[in-house]
Amino acid sequence: MHLRSVLKDTPVWDAIVAVGARGGVIAGSAEGASVLSTYMVDSRGGAFTVGLDLLDDLTVIPRYNLWSEDKLHRTFRLAPASMAVVGIDEATALIGDGSGWRVEGAGSVVVHRGGRRIEVTDLPIDVVADPAVTTR
């Protein structure tokens, strides 16, 4: 949440959005990945809070392998049906290249949408929100 407050409505965030709009790479690690979503997961209890609105209909649970079943259940239950909740283990990456998604690293990636588990390959390829929305 602190990262969101530091970046929101700043020239730095505008520059990051511009890089993405030009087809450049934007990457985030752990909570830095979560904050890119429209709704980021609050790691303290599994509920949602407002993110930076770059990724639409996708949110990230960083360090998924360390979360309790109680927090996971709460997050999945509170998620809008259209939103993919992506749990990424430590030392693991989910990489989208515009044509699909792949998992790299030591752990695994688990995806839930609409109350059920789906495959990483079922994630929508185009999850980047309209750049005009992200700079407001």
Side-chain angles (χ1 to χ4, degrees):
M1 288 183 278
H2 179 71
L3 181 58
R4 180 194 182 279
S5 66
V6 168
L7 289 176
K8 183 74 174 156
D9 297 325
T10 67
V12 171
W13 181 245
D14 291 344
I16 292 169
V17 171
V19 165
R22 290 191 311 267
V25 174
I26 299 173
S29 175
E31 284 77 5
S34 182
V35 74
L36 297 175
S37 301
T38 300
Y39 302 103
M40 67 180 187
V41 179
D42 183 341
S43 61
R44 297 171 299 179
F48 291 94
T49 189
V50 179
L52 287 169
D53 201 25
L54 184 65
L55 301 177
D56 196 27
D57 288 332
L58 182 144
T59 194
V60 173
I61 299 174
R63 293 183 269 282
Y64 178 80
N65 53 309
L66 301 179
W67 274 46
S68 70
E69 287 298 320
D70 182 49
K71 281 198 309 187
L72 291 172
H73 177 74
R74 183 177 307 112
T75 301
F76 296 144
R77 190 182 76 238
L78 292 172
S82 64
M83 185 170 64
V85 179
V86 181
I88 304 175
D89 288 350
E90 286 185 307
T92 308
L94 175 64
I95 302 166
D97 63 8
S99 64
W101 296 93
R102 72 180 191 278
V103 176
E104 298 285 341
S108 61
V109 173
V110 175
V111 183
H112 283 80
R113 183 174 51 207
R116 63 182 184 85
R117 189 168 171 174
I118 65 171
E119 297 298 320
V120 168
T121 54
D122 293 331
L123 280 170
I125 294 168
D126 185 16
V127 295
V128 176
D130 179 357
V133 175
T134 61
T135 58
R136 288 188 188 154

